[in-house]
Amino acid sequence: MKEEIYEKYKTAGEIAKKAREYGKKLIKQGVLVLDVVNKVEEKILEEGASLAFPVNVSINEVAAHFTPKHNDNFVFKKGDLVKLDVGAHVDGFIADTAVTVEIATSRYEKLIEATNEALRNAIGFIKSGIDVSQIGEIIGNTIEKHGFASIENLTGHSLEQFCLHAGISIPNFYDDALKGVKLERGMAVAIEPFATDGVGYVIAGKNGNIYRCLNPRRFFLRDPVAKREINFLKNEFKSLPFAERWYHKMLSKRSGLDSNYMLERLARQGYIKQYNQLVEKKTGKVAQTEHTIIVHDDEAEIIT
Ligand code: MN
Ligand code: MN
């Protein structure tokens, strides 16, 4: 990894960490969820990084891929188990990090600790040349030792410039099929154990209000409005995920179109992907902890 790129990752990592810790303190009973995501995103921008994806606040059995809509007015409740997942980038070099907060109760401390320990154990083991199947084994075993299930269809991932989920997936259990896939020096990787008291599998739920531009083979020329909007979105967000909230703000400045209607229209024509919330299959409660690391010859360096 070139020194210049390494420095960009380090800066993105420091800012993502600050934003995560700031957001963690804001999550309290009775606080508007929308206020928290707005404030954490503002923090990332103020610190001089860009948003790698919308701040996610996935609650209870929702494991991932949720951010509020522009007009959502629900609040955090006592007993909520909140996954705050934050991403910052500098020139496309992304730091991705998450923490789980339990609001005003302590029923899920062990579940949270299982993911924390799994992440520590995994990162402590990583260095150049390590097989991703072994990382998955460590994560899965640690979570199981605590009496919980790791979520088998959510994974960590390698990161590349403007690419949140690059070529390599890091499983949260021992997966024989990934034997031989190795982490090498200079790779940036997000490791993210998920633990649950459910069965350890997520299914698609309702719209998570998160989208991403795709690369369709050709534009549907008979819909010039869609063409205009997809060009706008691609220019603005490239291939990184964006929020309905962000698009709503931009769209309302220059058109009377409804953001949700327009996003549906673009998704139907195959220009954008819409992300659904990922919900634990047996509605088990879910905890997640995530760090971004840089792989070195003899160790992994946590940048978040
Ligand atoms: Mn994340
Ligand atoms: Mn991630």
Side-chain angles (χ1 to χ4, degrees):
M1 183 181 280
K2 281 188 202 156
E3 187 62 28
E4 188 192 334
I5 294 174
Y6 175 69
E7 289 305 328
K8 286 176 180 172
Y9 271 118
K10 293 276 283 182
T11 306
E14 277 162 28
I15 294 171
K17 178 182 185 171
K18 269 190 200 169
R20 182 194 68 219
E21 293 307 305
Y22 171 65
K24 193 177 163 180
K25 282 187 249 161
L26 297 175
I27 296 173
K28 290 200 172 84
Q29 188 176 346
V31 169
L32 265 179
V33 177
L34 189 59
D35 276 353
V36 172
V37 296
N38 281 335
K39 283 180 178 167
V40 176
E41 288 172 0
E42 272 163 30
K43 178 83 178 165
I44 292 171
L45 297 172
E46 268 171 30
E47 294 282 337
S50 303
L51 304 171
F53 52 83
V55 167
N56 281 223
V57 274
S58 305
I59 302 173
N60 296 332
E61 68 272 20
V62 181
H65 294 175
F66 178 78
T67 201
K69 280 203 292 285
H70 72 274
N71 54 356
D72 273 342
N73 59 3
F74 63 99
V75 298
F76 290 111
K77 296 191 297 292
K78 184 177 179 181
D80 276 350
L81 191 62
V82 184
K83 279 73 65 188
L84 174 74
D85 198 331
V86 169
H89 79 81
V90 174
D91 192 25
F93 298 101
I94 302 165
D96 179 3
T97 182
V99 67
T100 298
V101 181
E102 180 178 1
I103 302 176
T105 54
S106 48
R107 287 164 65 194
Y108 302 108
E109 275 173 358
K110 284 181 179 160
L111 187 64
I112 296 170
E113 179 49 29
T115 62
N116 289 341
E117 194 186 319
L119 186 62
R120 278 197 302 273
N121 289 350
I123 292 175
F125 175 76
I126 295 172
K127 57 184 180 178
S128 183
I130 286 297
D131 207 288
V132 301
S133 69
Q134 289 175 280
I135 303 170
E137 188 174 19
I138 290 172
I139 293 172
N141 286 348
T142 307
I143 290 171
E144 234 172 72
K145 190 189 77 188
H146 284 267
F148 300 110
S150 70
I151 296 188
E152 77 172 73
N153 57 336
L154 287 173
T155 67
H157 46 96
S158 56
L159 295 151
E160 282 169 18
Q161 191 177 23
F162 290 108
C163 185
L164 184 57
H165 285 243
I168 296 176
S169 293
I170 292 86
N172 286 323
F173 68 106
Y174 177 74
D175 186 353
D176 202 44
L178 292 174
K179 238 178 167 173
V181 179
K182 293 182 189 307
L183 297 186
E184 305 293 353
R185 177 174 62 179
M187 279 182 176
V189 183
I191 310 286
E192 49 184 311
F194 286 85
T196 180
D197 56 6
V199 288
Y201 197 84
V202 288
I203 55 174
K206 290 180 200 156
N207 188 347
N209 312 313
I210 300 165
Y211 299 83
R212 186 169 66 81
C213 293
L214 300 172
N215 286 308
R217 286 214 181 125
R218 63 191 174 86
F219 283 115
F220 192 65
L221 293 171
R222 278 183 296 176
D223 190 345
V225 176
K227 188 176 176 181
R228 183 192 74 204
E229 291 306 311
I230 188 63
N231 282 333
F232 170 81
L233 289 166
K234 276 188 164 178
N235 185 49
E236 201 67 39
F237 305 119
K238 301 194 167 57
S239 57
L240 293 174
F242 60 92
E244 179 275 339
R245 293 180 278 115
W246 303 351
Y247 181 53
H248 171 82
K249 209 172 177 181
M250 295 162 170
L251 190 62
S252 59
K253 279 187 190 149
R254 57 186 171 77
S255 132
L257 287 166
D258 175 77
S259 51
N260 280 291
Y261 160 76
M262 201 60 226
L263 289 166
E264 259 173 50
R265 183 159 144 190
L266 291 170
R268 207 168 45 236
Q269 294 182 47
Y271 296 144
I272 60 173
K273 177 181 165 64
Q274 178 239 308
Y275 289 86
N276 288 316
Q277 299 174 39
L278 297 173
V279 186
E280 214 286 328
K281 199 177 170 186
K282 295 284 179 206
T283 63
K285 296 290 190 288
V286 179
Q288 170 209 20
T289 312
E290 178 176 26
H291 274 310
T292 294
I293 58 161
I294 305 282
V295 181
H296 294 300
D297 280 333
D298 301 311
E299 59 166 8
E301 178 186 4
I302 299 173
I303 62 163
T304 48

